[in-house]
Amino acid sequence: MATSQKLEEHFLTCTICTEVFDNPCTLVCYHTFCRKCVVNYTKTKPEAISAKSLLCPFCSKMTKVSEPDRPVEEWADDVKPSFVIQGLLDSFGPGSKGTTNCTWCHAEGETTPASVWCSVCDESMCDRCARMHKRLPSIRHHDVIDLSGEVNIPRKRKVMCSEHKDECVKFLCKDCKKLTCQTCCIIYHRKCESVVTLESEFPALKSKLLNEKENILKKQILMEKKVDTVKSNVITEKDRYVQMESKIKSNGIKARETITLKENKLLDELKEISDRHIEQLNAHIKSAEISVQMYRQQAELIDQTLQSDCDMNVYEMYQGCDAGDVEDVGHTDLKEKGRIARITFRQDSDKLSRAVDELQLGEIDVLYDGVLDLAATPVLRNTISVNAAGDQSDERPLDVTALVIHDTHTVVTTDNTNMSVKSFYTRDNQSRHSKLSLDSRPWGLTKLQHNQVAVTVMNKTIITVEVNPDLVLLSTITTNKQYYGITSLTPSTLAAGSQSPPCVDILDMTGNVLRSVSPLCSGTKILNSPYFLCTTRTGNILVSDYGSQRVLCLTPEGDVVFTYPPTGHTTQVDPRGITSTSTGDILVALYSQNNVVHLTESGQFVRNLLTAGDGVDHPYGVCADDRGYVYVCNLSSGDIKVFTCSDTE
């Protein structure tokens, strides 16, 4: 009883009327009120009336009504209470426990203790009324519960028809998926084929709810596991952040120590030079003072000679002065080589500012869920068999790309031997595919718009295909050369690789050659067989050249940005498919080595991302999508391996 009272006070009481909920409704803000109360409150707010919405008195959030043309008094009729509130009302609300008084007697103005409760009538009765209940043929078979003990009475909620106010909703139209009263069934659902009583449908609904409960429990278990994993990650990440903080502080200390060393070195140098300068100046002063003393003595000697009136003394003094006997004693010291004239401190403020700006203690890289993390360990997630109905030969997928079409992840590939383009996707939990047959063998593949691709075909054509995700041929572009690799440069231009002559042509969408690129090295053409192309995030063209066994990065004007392996390097590669990620990293399929290698944006080797041990078998086409997935065409096994390189499951 205490529990029921507390629930009524804290959870089942309308904050407007401060009474237990009477016909409650839960608004979009999840606040619950009596329908009548929230309607009356809304009537006092002109802004809510004009917005055709119910206004929450607690948070002032608007709840749009389903039928605003109805009277305001009926706006809340279709707003149902949350199942939590309704469940609490059914279990603990008024009438949920053994009702103390007889309902029938109460209707006659009498107060009689109840002894039984009818689950069908949803009414409590005294002994006398219970005997009458048993005599009536239509209700004598109802289940009756004795109220002499402590019994929980499940309260059945009577839902009245919104149109026929005096009738209960007792029927379910399966065709319209709508609950109705008997009158509505007669008026509106006469032609419906499946109208049943809600009571007859109860077992099936209960069974579905039990199944739903099992599914929810399974999801709950999975979510609990994820929560545990995330909690563990929180601890791990906190430890990592402490380590990173320590490294940043350590780098700061090292930087400050380096600056301090440079400062001390400069100060020591200044002290050494300034001490020498001051020493030189003091020596100069001493020498000059000696010279002054000698000049005074010589002047006095001349005075004495002049005062002697001796012709001979005067003549000898004259001869001595004329011969230079009276010399500048300090003259030699003043002109001593290596004497410091002045010390200055030259400071390049701009250079110092640039040095401070360019000082790198490190960088904070943020990796978001679903983004390709090439530092992570690749995990094989799926193997797509490219077999399709009507295939006459073993499948040979040459190139691959991935698209998202109407929220459906779709993989598109070119099957060279079966002369077709194929798409693979999952719908309604079933693997599906589409096949577009061609007159000749397809080779390269590139994504155009979000649902279109372009394909090079071995009859001097380029076709455009719409991916829905089923494939539809849009156009056929006739070209003057046979092209292999292809990539989209801009929405209106393509780059395509030709073997005869070896070059990369820039084409418009009608096949006209706008510019032909054929770079030279020491006067020799370095392109041979540009079988696969890709566009970088900066607009350059990555070329995987089978003939010259190298990867080149070219500007659209034909300048060579880099080559892999670098010129003069002895590393042997056999490149095929190539792709560039959103971060600028490069993936290259090496056919003979059974590898997919990871290069930096500048063409530096990082590591073998995928090997034969991962299931790579003579790889051709390769691509990476925005979800962190890497797709590799295995030529020997005729399938596409799908790997994840991210923390997202």
Side-chain angles (χ1 to χ4, degrees):
M1 187 68 183
T3 302
S4 177
Q5 184 177 356
K6 286 182 179 179
L7 284 169
E8 286 186 11
E9 291 177 356
H10 297 289
F11 299 101
L12 303 179
T13 300
C14 175
T15 56
I16 299 177
C17 65
T18 66
E19 299 290 339
V20 176
F21 288 129
D22 178 22
N23 202 8
C25 63
T26 301
L27 305 181
V28 293
C29 52
Y30 298 106
H31 295 132
T32 304
F33 309 93
C34 301
R35 280 190 171 90
K36 184 177 180 181
C37 294
V38 77
V39 166
N40 289 337
Y41 177 79
T42 300
K43 285 180 179 179
T44 65
K45 303 296 180 182
E47 67 274 16
I49 299 297
S50 61
K52 304 293 184 182
S53 302
L54 296 172
L55 183 64
C56 175
F58 189 76
C59 67
S60 300
K61 191 167 185 178
M62 300 278 193
T63 299
K64 286 285 186 182
V65 297
S66 57
E67 297 181 35
D69 294 333
R70 294 164 62 182
V72 178
E73 291 77 8
E74 300 178 8
W75 278 7
D77 288 356
D78 294 333
V79 183
K80 298 179 181 180
S82 71
F83 70 91
V84 175
I85 295 295
Q86 191 59 57
L88 290 173
L89 280 172
D90 293 343
S91 299
F92 300 99
S96 60
K97 276 202 177 276
T99 305
T100 57
N101 297 322
C102 175
T103 307
W104 290 8
C105 292
H106 180 72
E108 299 296 329
E110 301 177 7
T111 301
T112 310
S115 59
V116 296
W117 177 77
C118 176
S119 62
V120 179
C121 299
D122 193 20
E123 292 179 338
S124 53
M125 296 168 284
C126 62
D127 291 337
R128 183 185 64 178
C129 293
R131 288 193 294 270
M132 292 176 59
H133 184 274
K134 288 182 179 179
R135 295 193 189 104
L136 297 175
S138 60
I139 60 176
R140 66 173 58 171
H141 299 296
H142 289 183
D143 291 331
V144 177
I145 298 175
D146 186 5
L147 296 179
S148 59
E150 187 73 15
V151 181
N152 279 334
I153 304 300
R155 186 182 181 189
K156 291 189 177 179
R157 183 161 55 101
K158 292 184 179 180
V159 179
M160 309 307 290
C161 178
S162 59
E163 184 172 349
H164 308 99
K165 307 293 184 180
D166 57 342
E167 291 194 40
C168 293
V169 172
K170 294 183 178 180
F171 297 91
L172 171 64
C173 177
K174 290 186 174 181
D175 298 339
C176 302
K177 296 182 179 179
K178 188 174 181 181
L179 293 172
T180 68
C181 67
Q182 186 171 359
T183 303
C184 286
C185 286
I186 296 171
I187 298 175
Y188 303 114
H189 301 277
R190 288 176 298 173
K191 296 183 180 181
C192 295
E193 296 181 356
S194 182
V195 179
V196 297
T197 63
L198 192 57
E199 184 179 2
S200 67
E201 196 67 13
F202 178 75
L205 293 174
K206 188 174 181 180
S207 176
K208 290 179 180 178
L209 283 175
L210 288 173
N211 290 335
E212 183 64 23
K213 178 185 175 183
E214 290 181 4
N215 292 333
I216 290 173
L217 289 175
K218 289 179 181 177
K219 291 179 181 179
Q220 175 188 339
I221 293 171
L222 289 175
M223 189 56 65
E224 287 174 347
K225 290 181 179 178
K226 286 187 177 181
V227 169
D228 291 339
T229 302
V230 173
K231 286 181 178 179
S232 176
N233 287 342
V234 167
I235 297 173
T236 303
E237 291 301 303
K238 283 183 177 180
D239 291 340
R240 287 182 60 249
Y241 295 151
V242 170
Q243 293 175 6
M244 284 190 279
E245 183 179 348
S246 176
K247 288 180 180 179
I248 292 172
K249 289 181 178 179
S250 175
N251 290 343
I253 292 171
K254 289 179 180 178
R256 286 190 290 273
E257 287 177 349
T258 301
I259 293 174
T260 302
L261 285 174
K262 289 181 177 292
E263 177 188 357
N264 291 337
K265 181 180 179 182
L266 199 59
L267 290 173
D268 290 343
E269 183 180 354
L270 175 63
K271 188 175 186 309
E272 180 185 352
I273 296 175
S274 63
D275 287 349
R276 184 151 55 95
H277 186 207
I278 297 301
E279 183 179 346
Q280 289 180 354
L281 291 175
N282 289 331
H284 186 192
I285 291 171
K286 186 175 182 180
S287 175
E289 288 176 343
I290 293 173
S291 296
V292 169
Q293 182 66 28
M294 292 184 67
Y295 290 149
R296 185 181 295 113
Q297 291 175 357
Q298 289 176 356
E300 291 177 353
L301 184 60
I302 292 174
D303 284 340
Q304 292 175 4
T305 302
L306 291 174
Q307 292 175 4
S308 65
D309 291 332
C310 178
D311 296 339
M312 196 63 187
N313 289 343
V314 171
Y315 180 75
E316 288 177 352
M317 179 60 67
Y318 168 75
Q319 281 188 324
C321 291
D322 190 43
D325 291 343
V326 184
E327 282 293 332
D328 183 0
V329 179
H331 182 72
T332 304
D333 293 337
L334 291 172
K335 295 183 178 181
E336 180 184 349
K337 291 184 179 180
R339 178 181 286 279
I340 298 172
R342 188 184 180 194
I343 299 173
T344 60
F345 174 61
R346 186 179 69 256
Q347 178 182 356
D348 189 337
S349 299
D350 292 338
K351 186 176 181 180
L352 177 62
S353 179
R354 287 195 301 271
V356 172
D357 291 340
E358 294 173 1
L359 176 64
Q360 292 291 335
L361 299 181
E363 293 183 357
I364 304 296
D365 292 327
V366 180
L367 181 68
Y368 294 95
D369 285 344
V371 177
L372 187 65
D373 180 10
L374 295 178
T377 302
V379 177
L380 178 63
R381 294 296 184 187
N382 191 18
T383 298
I384 301 174
S385 171
V386 299
N387 178 266
D391 287 350
Q392 302 295 321
S393 306
D394 292 338
E395 294 75 19
R396 288 173 64 88
L398 294 192
D399 207 354
V400 63
T401 190
L403 308 91
V404 179
I405 311 297
H406 308 306
D407 296 326
T408 300
H409 297 282
T410 307
V411 177
V412 182
T413 186
T414 52
D415 186 349
N416 183 265
T417 55
N418 288 293
M419 296 193 298
S420 60
V421 181
K422 299 175 179 178
S423 67
F424 300 88
Y425 57 95
T426 299
R427 180 178 289 167
D428 299 328
N429 295 321
Q430 291 187 352
S431 297
R432 302 173 184 270
H433 71 271
S434 173
K435 178 179 178 180
L436 177 64
S437 297
L438 306 175
D439 295 331
S440 188
R441 299 175 184 268
W443 189 279
L445 178 69
T446 187
K447 189 189 305 183
L448 298 177
Q449 301 176 16
H450 74 280
N451 68 330
Q452 292 182 15
V453 296
V455 181
T456 57
V457 187
M458 309 299 289
N459 57 358
K460 294 186 178 181
T461 62
I462 297 173
I463 63 171
T464 61
V465 180
E466 187 174 64
V467 185
N468 286 322
D470 292 334
L471 304 176
V472 179
L473 179 64
L474 292 179
S475 66
T476 300
I477 303 168
T478 302
T479 59
N480 293 324
K481 300 176 185 176
Q482 177 60 62
Y483 292 114
Y484 293 85
I486 187 171
T487 186
S488 174
L489 287 180
T490 69
S492 59
T493 58
L494 300 168
S498 166
Q499 190 175 17
S500 180
C503 63
V504 172
D505 287 344
I506 312 300
L507 312 171
D508 62 19
M509 295 306 293
T510 63
N512 293 323
V513 178
L514 305 177
R515 183 168 57 258
S516 188
V517 174
S518 183
L520 302 176
C521 180
S522 302
T524 304
K525 293 183 177 181
I526 56 177
L527 288 179
N528 186 296
S529 303
Y531 277 179
F532 291 89
L533 305 182
C534 175
T535 305
T536 70
R537 63 176 180 174
T538 58
N540 290 331
I541 305 169
L542 293 173
V543 183
S544 176
D545 194 273
Y546 157 74
S548 64
Q549 294 192 329
R550 75 176 86 189
V551 172
L552 302 94
C553 180
L554 308 176
T555 66
E557 292 72 30
D559 297 325
V560 179
V561 180
F562 69 80
T563 63
Y564 172 79
T567 302
H569 205 280
T570 58
T571 301
Q572 294 294 316
V573 297
D574 190 6
R576 294 297 193 276
I578 190 167
T579 189
S580 178
T581 71
S582 59
T583 56
D585 295 274
I586 302 167
L587 302 181
V588 186
L590 302 184
Y591 179 77
S592 300
Q593 291 81 12
N594 291 324
N595 284 345
V596 174
V597 298
H598 171 202
L599 308 180
T600 65
E601 192 169 12
S602 59
Q604 301 298 313
F605 175 82
V606 178
R607 66 166 177 149
N608 291 321
L609 180 68
L610 298 168
T611 65
D614 298 307
V616 175
D617 186 9
H618 293 90
Y620 251 67
V622 60
C623 82
D625 67 11
D626 296 333
R627 298 184 300 155
Y629 283 66
V630 176
Y631 304 82
V632 182
C633 294
N634 275 343
L635 199 68
S636 296
S637 55
D639 56 32
I640 299 173
K641 298 292 185 183
V642 184
F643 301 88
T644 54
C645 290
S646 75
D647 294 330
T648 302
E649 294 294 331

